[in-house]
Each structure stands twice: as structure tokens, then as C-alpha cells.
Amino acid sequence: MHDSHLFDGVDARQLAAALYLAADVTQDEGLQYIATFNSDDLDKATRLGFEPGPYIRQPHPRDERSTPAGSATSVSDQTCQAGLRP
């Protein structure tokens, strides 16, 4: 699992290559890879040919009643979650 900080400042070509590699490895090994991206970063990789459609999972934020010990979960509109496993 990686969040957008890992990819901060990474060239769009490198990001696209990393996503292709993650997609290939997870499919070959039967694994799941979860990464969160700012939507503009995902758009950069898409413009270079990476097709995220099969891997996008819409976030399902939980309210405070379903989170542990008073913690809250929120998902920004600017964040996409990609679980690389179609």
C-alpha cells in the first residue's frame, strides 16, 4: 500500500512505468496493490497510455460509527484509490 507521498515529484513517465509494473506483478502473482493518487497525477499517467479503468475502486468512506475508537475516515474529492487487481 502506498499513498500519494511516494509518487510526489515523480516524473509522469516513471509513474506510468511504475503502474504498469504494479499491474503486471499483481496479476502474475495474484496479489493486490493499493495506492492513492491525486487525480492530476493519475491523469498524467493516463496521458502516457496507462489505462486505470480496470483498476479503479471507488472509495467508500466510513462514518465515525464504523471506525475504531472515535477515529474518523474521510476521502478527498481530489484522491482516487487504485487497487491494481481487476
Side-chain angles (χ1 to χ4, degrees):
M1 177 176 221
H2 290 114
D3 70 5
S4 60
H5 293 300
L6 178 71
F7 301 101
D8 187 33
V10 172
D11 180 85
R13 292 170 295 173
Q14 292 172 317
L15 176 59
L19 292 175
Y20 278 121
L21 178 62
D24 289 344
V25 170
T26 56
Q27 184 161 353
D28 291 347
E29 300 294 327
L31 302 172
Q32 183 178 27
Y33 173 67
I34 298 171
T36 60
F37 299 94
N38 292 330
S39 57
D40 60 327
D41 288 332
L42 191 56
D43 288 343
K44 291 175 193 174
T46 302
R47 284 193 297 272
L48 291 171
F50 181 74
E51 176 51 52
Y55 310 111
I56 295 291
R57 301 292 182 258
Q58 294 302 317
H60 299 285
R62 297 177 283 170
D63 65 22
E64 291 159 6
R65 290 173 289 173
S66 62
T67 59
S71 63
T73 302
S74 64
V75 178
S76 166
D77 289 340
Q78 297 299 311
T79 302
C80 296
Q81 292 185 351
L84 293 180
R85 189 172 187 195

